[in-house]
Amino acid sequence: MFVNREEIPVHPIYRDPVHDFGFFRYDPGAIQFLSYQEIPLAPEAACVGLEIRVVGNDSGEKVSILAGTLARLDRDAPHYKKDGYNDFNTFYMQAASGTKGGSSGSPVIDWEGRAVALNAGSKSSSASAFFLPLERVVRALNFLQKGWDSSGNKWEAVTIPCGTLQVTFLHKGFDETRRLGLRSEIEQMVRHASPIGETGMLVVDSVVPGGPAHKHLEPGDVLVRVNGEVLTQFLKLETLLDDSVDKRINLQIERGGTSLTVELVVQDLHSITPNYFLEVSGAVIHPLSYQQARNFRFNCGLVYVAEPGYMLYRAGVPRHAIIKKFAGEDISTLDELILVSSKLSRGARVPLEYISYMDRHRSKSVLVTVDRHEWYAAPQIYTRDDSSGLWTARPALAPGSLLLSSSINGGRLASGTVASTAGEAVMVEQIHQNNSKGCTDGLNTMETSYEHAQVLHSREEPNVETKKRRVEENSFVDGAIITSDCSMQEPTEEKLEDPRTLENIGVGEDQSAVASNASIAERVIEPTLVMFEVHVPSSCMVDGVHSQHFFGTGVIIYHSQHMGLAVVDRNTVAISVSDVMLSFAAFPVEIPGEVVFLHPVHNYALVAYDPSALGAAGASAVRAAELLPEPALRRGDSVYLVGLSRSLQATSRKSIVTNPCAALNIGSADCPRYRATNMEVIELDTDFGSTFSGVLTDDRGRVQAIWGSFSTQLKYGCNTSEDHQFVRGLPIYAISQVLDKIINGTKGPLLLINGVKRPMPLVRMLEAELYPTLLSKARSFGLSDEWVQALVKKDSIRRQVLRVKGCLAGSKAEKVLEQGDMLLAINKEPITCFRDIECACEEFDKYGDNERGLNMTIFRQGREIELVVGTDIRDGNGTTRMVNWCGCIIQDPHSAVRALGFLPEEGHGVYVARWCHGSPVHRYGLYALQWIVEVNGKLTPDLEAFVDVVKGLEHGEFVRIRTVHLNGKPRVLTLKQDLHYWPTWELSFDPDMAMWRRRTIKALD
């Protein structure tokens, strides 16, 4: 982008492996309206006392000019971070120019208009700035210009010779070299042979293991001569090394007062600077670079995890890990890792051994689960092409590899293949829901903020220096079409009867001591409890889900030979786009589950598992809980709260019901997400805190309620909010009704569960958010005494009437009901609670005319009105389709968005759920929490229409987009499509194969 706002493409052609500079090329003929000149480079003009100007975009301000005076030319290279990029083996210049972020790379100009340095870093606690000398820049530029002259009109990659010994030197003053053992006669000789004003010598600071100098040079060695020439400056040393690649050189050093001579082979610096990487499940893995090998003191070329992505993040592999073993095979190169991966199938569980620079002397073992679904594209190798300035992708696996097949045992939920040594224990760290790692740990850093977020990732010296550089976290995500071959069978359903009864509960000898202290309810319910661990891929965070990792306790409500069902709260299983692992209290096994039903209103989800994956012993030990939907709990009833600790031990306590019908009132979050509405929950006098979930049972162990976790957001002031959770009881009747429909069959969409297609229930509901108002308040609004008495007669405990808080946008109720309406009766029968409306919808679903609605009596502004209010039918699938376009996740508006009560007039539009750093939408400001209603003047009322429009857009094309924010504010913006790094793809759920499939919509050929 030039100063006159002309924008042209640039292509990276060189980046120095060590020093902080690189080159882009562009076509001067593409600039049509600006006359400009090049800035001459004059590194020799730099001197102490020189008046300079730093011209750049300091702090994001266009064309800032900052003044300063060069104070030092021999400042040590700034240290930005211990695990990232740092410059070394060079001097920096220093001036008090006070530059900040945004001016990185700006020219440092003298009074004649010549560039004497490049602005690079600054000190955060003062006005000091640090500039990179230009000698190495000029050398590289000369090579590039010669390459251009020799190649004609077509650019070809140029190799710039760079040599290294894999040694970091520091320039130490003569006073310190004397303390290191430098003899006085050597110092005198060096002073006479060096330029006037020389103040020190080069001293070895660190040596990279496995490098040319390993076991030859040591920290503290003072460099005296190289090839017989006295050498005290970085520039002369680097020049000599660059001219001696693959040649031998002689170094004379002083070590503790002893003179030594060593002969070393100069290594090609480019050979230890990776130009390719593997991307698999969002992870970036490549050979360990010289930069990081120097930081971590590991050998160059080891298999290094730059970003753990999703699959490795699930296993607990951190960033900067070094992979040593995978699936029982030693791993020393990236090719070996790819070969082992090609032999694995989807859903396989294999051990991985790694080491970390933070704990380098001990290796750690984790269990990696290969993605069962197509959350990410097939593994690819990206290679840097300096001719085109692009990273080009190719498949990492050969055709026919098991990992490219999407078969999952004919739709059955297998436990996966665990390739581990005998006796190896798999430790699962139990973390509660909110102690979860953010999505920033994946390769795709997805955000939901709407306002422009200028992300300046700074390199810093500890409390001292800040690097002024915008870091673009590019995510190279590509699409892949992976086929599936699943056979289906229809086995007969046989319920596994539990031989244990309340009067005859078997207790093993090793558990007798614990069981003797446990209540009967705990002993009965413990075999039915299950611990959920849920992971959400960072590339698929739809529906406003606020985290990637959740834990919670659920209970098995159905267990047969061919299907198991467990129920858990929706603060544990928030969306269906997730991987679920189940750990059973009755038997030590961990198997995968699949989300089969998300209730659109009530706070619970149903997860299916394959009982055959438990084995014969596990299937017999695990059983389903007995549900007791009636009679409903009342105030003062005694219940047992039973759940699982993090070590899968049952924990229980006896409690008293203090309020069996407390109405929930959870406000909308900043980023709309599922929240429980129109629900009455159970409150107890004592519990185990806000992170403990489980079940409420009677004294015989029969489940009367789920003790589940609810998510909310506490707001402090105008701009501060914090996620919070609390626990309450959910009556079991709501779950029991849906379970009966699944088991007995119902009208609804078919879903493949463990190889059998089953109809899943639909939920008829009144899509309006309601809240209770005391009858005493309702009387003040003008409600008649007759209705007050009728409502008290119907329910003498609650003494309330339901009012409309708002209707979901696009619902049938929105056309009839208004905010503040009091709902008095349905079909002349008074209603006083949410369950009354649910029962009316159930009855209407059985016997009513689906084209009509509920005959309701309401009270509005002092008048009774008879209305026919339409109801809506919703499934339990949640969001089953999303599109990733230009780096943002786009979906149809989910219920939490519709609950805000507003949809754009232009056919509703598609909703931007999240965006990714470094993407085109980030570059041009298309953020989340808004609808896209038009693309290039074409309406996009739904995902299908949106896909039809964007698949016709070409690479590099500017697109005009009209958006509407959640607050109703319209906006028009443009962005440039980049199909090379950001292809358009979609992820959708295939109910016939019970699998999430990824399909490329538009990409470069």
Side-chain angles (χ1 to χ4, degrees), residues 376 439 444-448 536-545 575 577 879 881-892 894 910-916 919 921 926-930 932 943 946 982 985-987:
Y376 293 87
C439 61
N444 297 327
T445 304
M446 305 304 292
E447 297 289 349
T448 58
V536 180
S538 59
S539 63
C540 314
M541 297 183 69
V542 297
D543 292 359
V545 61
I575 58 176
V577 191
T879 296
R881 187 187 184 192
M882 52 150 284
V883 174
N884 190 299
W885 178 67
C886 290
C888 67
I889 292 179
I890 296 175
Q891 63 174 100
D892 285 321
H894 54 95
V910 291
Y911 179 69
V912 181
R914 291 190 177 257
W915 55 273
C916 185
S919 64
V921 298
L926 175 61
Y927 298 112
L929 309 186
Q930 53 190 322
I932 298 177
L943 272 183
F946 179 81
W982 303 92
W985 54 270
E986 72 170 347
L987 184 74

Side-chain angles (χ1 to χ4, degrees), residues 580-597:
V580 182
M581 297 300 295
L582 308 178
S583 298
F584 295 81
F587 191 75
V589 65
E590 185 181 42
I591 63 173
E594 286 293 344
V595 182
V596 296
F597 187 82

Side-chain angles (χ1 to χ4, degrees), residues 90 114 141 220 306 376 403 470 566 580 593 898:
T90 184
R114 300 174 298 177
L141 178 60
Y376 293 87
L403 197 58
R470 177 185 292 273
V580 182
R898 296 172 53 238

Side-chain angles (χ1 to χ4, degrees), residues 6 82 121 155 233 382 399 429 444 490 658 852 856 991 1000:
E6 279 192 82
K82 65 181 180 180
W155 174 260
Q233 295 289 312
Y382 283 84
E429 183 184 3
N444 297 327
E490 298 287 341
T658 58
R852 286 183 54 80
M856 301 187 71
T1000 300

Side-chain angles (χ1 to χ4, degrees), residues 789-796 829-832 836:
Q789 294 172 5
L791 293 173
V792 170
K793 182 178 180 181
K794 172 67 184 297
D795 191 336
S796 60
E829 286 291 325
I831 55 174
T832 60
D836 290 343

Side-chain angles (χ1 to χ4, degrees), residues 103-315:
S103 60
S104 182
S106 298
V108 180
I109 307 296
D110 69 358
W111 65 276
E112 296 184 35
R114 300 174 298 177
V116 298
L118 286 180
N119 185 29
S122 71
K123 200 169 186 177
S124 59
S125 58
S126 69
S128 296
F130 310 112
F131 309 138
L132 176 72
L134 293 181
E135 285 85 359
R136 306 297 295 174
V137 177
V138 171
R139 175 181 179 270
L141 178 60
N142 290 335
F143 273 100
L144 295 174
Q145 289 173 332
K146 291 177 182 178
W148 172 257
D149 294 338
S150 62
S151 63
N153 294 327
K154 183 179 180 181
W155 174 260
E156 294 182 1
V158 175
T159 300
I160 300 177
C162 293
T164 183
L165 299 176
Q166 295 193 34
V167 177
T168 301
F169 291 93
L170 292 178
H171 191 270
K172 300 288 187 181
F174 284 117
D175 58 332
E176 188 166 351
T177 58
R178 284 194 294 270
R179 293 194 294 269
L180 290 172
L182 182 68
R183 293 173 293 169
S184 59
E185 59 269 24
I186 299 295
E187 178 183 344
Q188 185 177 7
M189 181 271 297
V190 170
R191 284 182 180 269
H192 284 296
S194 301
I196 298 176
E198 181 59 76
T199 59
M201 301 174 67
L202 298 181
V203 178
V204 175
D205 180 62
S206 64
V207 181
V208 176
H214 184 51
K215 296 184 178 179
H216 296 285
L217 298 182
E218 297 178 0
D221 289 348
V222 181
L223 181 64
V224 180
R225 290 187 176 93
V226 179
N227 287 346
E229 179 183 0
V230 174
L231 199 153
T232 61
Q233 295 289 312
F234 290 114
L235 183 59
K236 292 181 63 176
L237 174 62
E238 288 202 313
T239 301
L240 190 149
L241 293 177
D242 292 344
D243 295 337
S244 305
V245 175
D246 296 330
K247 297 178 183 178
R248 294 182 178 274
I249 61 172
N250 292 304
L251 281 74
Q252 179 186 340
I253 61 173
E254 286 280 314
R255 180 180 297 167
T258 302
S259 180
L260 299 174
T261 300
V262 296
E263 185 180 69
L264 302 176
V265 176
V266 179
Q267 188 176 15
D268 184 1
L269 182 56
H270 297 296
S271 68
I272 53 176
T273 303
N275 64 346
Y276 67 98
F277 64 87
L278 168 69
E279 185 188 70
V280 53
S281 187
V284 174
I285 305 172
H286 59 74
L288 185 65
S289 67
Y290 176 35
Q291 278 281 349
Q292 294 294 59
R294 172 181 169 271
N295 289 333
F296 303 152
R297 288 195 51 76
F298 286 128
N299 290 32
C300 290
L302 297 177
V303 181
Y304 167 72
V305 179
E307 288 287 347
Y310 176 62
M311 183 173 69
L312 296 183
Y313 157 68
R314 281 187 65 190

Side-chain angles (χ1 to χ4, degrees), residues 591-881:
I591 63 173
E594 286 293 344
V595 182
V596 296
F597 187 82
L598 295 169
H599 199 283
V601 176
H602 293 300
N603 183 33
Y604 74 87
L606 299 183
V607 175
Y609 63 89
D610 185 2
S612 65
L614 298 170
S620 61
V622 172
R623 66 182 183 87
E626 181 181 352
L627 307 185
L628 186 64
E630 299 292 343
L633 287 172
R634 296 176 298 177
R635 182 180 180 182
D637 285 351
S638 296
V639 293
Y640 285 88
L641 170 57
V642 188
L644 293 178
S645 67
R646 297 182 182 181
S647 58
L648 292 182
Q649 299 296 317
T651 304
S652 67
R653 75 183 309 159
K654 191 174 183 179
S655 298
I656 303 297
V657 175
T658 58
N659 189 351
C661 52
L664 281 179
N665 182 21
I666 301 176
S668 180
D670 294 336
C671 175
R673 64 185 189 226
Y674 168 79
R675 58 188 177 95
T677 58
N678 296 353
M679 282 184 60
E680 290 184 338
V681 294
I682 300 167
E683 295 179 343
L684 302 179
D685 59 344
T686 55
D687 54 36
F688 288 110
S690 63
T691 65
F692 183 87
S693 55
V695 294
L696 300 181
T697 75
D698 64 0
D699 56 1
R700 302 182 61 184
R702 295 175 296 184
V703 177
Q704 294 176 290
I706 301 297
W707 191 248
S709 175
F710 293 78
S711 175
T712 185
Q713 195 173 72
L714 301 180
K715 298 185 179 181
Y716 306 97
C718 298
N719 301 318
T720 305
S721 59
E722 179 180 309
D723 288 329
H724 177 68
Q725 68 177 19
F726 60 93
V727 283
R728 295 291 187 270
L730 172 64
I732 202 66
Y733 76 84
I735 302 169
S736 179
Q737 292 173 354
V738 172
L739 176 63
D740 291 341
K741 292 180 180 180
I742 295 176
I743 302 305
N744 300 323
T746 183
K747 293 181 181 180
L750 295 177
L751 176 64
L752 186 71
I753 304 178
N754 297 335
V756 179
K757 286 187 175 181
R758 302 175 183 275
M760 301 304 293
L762 298 172
V763 179
R764 181 176 292 276
M765 54 190 294
L766 180 68
E767 286 202 321
E769 186 174 351
L770 310 174
Y771 67 97
T773 296
L774 294 177
L775 290 177
S776 57
K777 295 287 186 182
R779 187 191 296 271
S780 301
F781 280 97
L783 187 63
S784 66
D785 290 342
E786 291 80 8
W787 273 112
V788 169
Q789 294 172 5
L791 293 173
V792 170
K793 182 178 180 181
K794 172 67 184 297
D795 191 336
S796 60
I797 296 177
R798 291 182 175 85
R799 295 174 177 265
Q800 66 185 25
V801 63
L802 297 180
R803 300 191 71 183
V804 177
K805 187 176 183 179
C807 296
L808 273 67
S811 65
K812 295 179 180 178
E814 182 188 28
K815 303 174 183 178
V816 181
L817 296 179
E818 296 180 3
Q819 184 177 354
D821 286 349
M822 296 183 188
L823 308 186
L824 303 178
I826 297 178
N827 294 331
K828 305 300 183 180
E829 286 291 325
I831 55 174
T832 60
C833 62
F834 304 122
R835 188 174 182 181
D836 290 343
I837 297 179
E838 293 175 10
C839 292
C841 289
E842 285 285 330
E843 291 297 317
F844 180 81
D845 208 22
K846 294 178 181 178
Y847 309 111
D849 180 3
N850 290 342
E851 297 300 324
R852 286 183 54 80
L854 299 174
N855 296 315
M856 301 187 71
T857 304
I858 69 168
F859 182 77
R860 177 186 298 171
Q861 298 179 356
R863 297 186 301 117
E864 294 179 19
I865 304 175
E866 299 290 334
L867 296 175
V868 177
V869 183
T871 57
D872 293 273
I873 297 178
R874 298 288 177 246
D875 58 34
N877 298 330
T879 296
T880 58
R881 187 187 184 192

